[in-house]
Amino acid sequence: MRLAWSEKFRGLFWTQLLGAFNDNFFKQALLILIVFQGLGGVEMGEDKLSLYASLVFTIPFFLFSATAGQLADKYDKSRVIQRLKVVEIIIGVLATLGFLVESVPLLFAALALLGLQSASFGPLKYGIIPQLLNDEELVEGNAAVETGTKLSILAGVLAGGLLAGHHYGRYFCSLGVLLVAVAGYMAAKFIPTV
């Protein structure tokens, strides 16, 4: 985990960590707010809603990952990552609007866009690691990214569930999605140009 703090790698590590956290935080908060808090007046079982949310988030990975990989090879990866983080902030604003007006279609649109943004980020992440690290550090770098990702997924699910269960859950979740997106953008600014 020493690479997580190294100057050449910390930007990517923390950008990935915050992105994975935000995806799972938003998805979990969305499910809790709709199923248990009655957001938007949707009457649907948790299983069915969870399935739809997973599909909406996952389908962009199948449709756009290959195209994102081609773009990752064509342009400066650090700059594209920073632009994707700006997109994540815009999606956070859309999600906030969805929470505030209790619009389930708007929230699912934000979830689909987060899936698209994440699908675009994946090839960039894996393509830039060998450019940031030397050959001896690749295994450690990949292990750090994967470990950080798994831990941030768990933390995002827990935080989304806890905050969504609060009386003011939709406000806390709105603020959380936006703050994490901004923090991810700030972390992306530390990714070296390659």
Side-chain angles (χ1 to χ4, degrees):
M1 285 300 273
R2 70 174 175 81
L3 282 176
W5 302 105
S6 70
E7 187 174 340
K8 62 185 173 182
F9 195 66
R10 69 178 173 224
L12 177 66
F13 177 81
W14 290 103
T15 299
Q16 166 61 21
L17 193 91
L18 291 163
F21 176 91
N22 216 14
D23 292 346
N24 290 280
F25 173 80
F26 176 67
K27 189 167 115 179
Q28 185 68 15
L30 174 66
L31 294 174
I32 298 291
L33 285 167
I34 292 172
V35 172
F36 298 108
Q37 303 289 333
L39 185 80
V42 174
E43 299 206 11
M44 188 180 298
E46 180 183 2
D47 292 343
K48 200 172 198 181
L49 189 64
S50 182
L51 174 66
Y52 289 149
S54 293
L55 283 172
V56 164
F57 185 77
T58 307
I59 286 174
F61 284 87
F62 293 110
L63 297 177
F64 299 106
S65 288
T67 304
Q70 291 172 346
L71 292 174
D73 286 338
K74 193 171 185 179
Y75 299 103
D76 174 23
K77 291 172 185 66
S78 62
R79 188 170 303 235
V80 176
I81 289 170
Q82 290 167 11
R83 288 183 179 151
L84 281 173
K85 294 320 251 179
V86 170
V87 169
E88 186 178 341
I89 293 169
I90 294 167
I91 296 168
V93 170
L94 183 68
T96 297
L97 183 61
F99 279 132
L100 296 180
V101 300
E102 297 190 27
S103 171
V104 173
L106 195 56
L107 289 165
F108 267 82
L111 185 62
L113 290 171
L114 268 180
L116 178 59
Q117 188 261 354
S118 294
S120 301
F121 181 75
L124 289 161
K125 169 184 69 176
Y126 289 115
I128 200 171
I129 289 174
Q131 293 177 303
L132 295 175
L133 303 176
N134 59 46
D135 290 346
E136 296 78 34
E137 296 173 316
L138 282 178
V139 171
E140 184 182 353
N142 281 313
V145 166
E146 289 304 311
T147 301
T149 299
K150 301 298 186 250
L151 291 173
S152 63
I153 288 169
L154 178 62
V157 168
L158 290 172
L162 287 172
L163 288 179
H166 192 275
H167 179 66
Y168 296 106
R170 63 188 175 132
Y171 302 109
F172 290 149
C173 293
S174 298
L175 184 62
V177 167
L178 283 172
L179 289 177
V180 174
V182 169
Y185 172 75
M186 298 306 290
K189 298 294 274 179
F190 289 96
I191 300 173
T193 301
V194 293

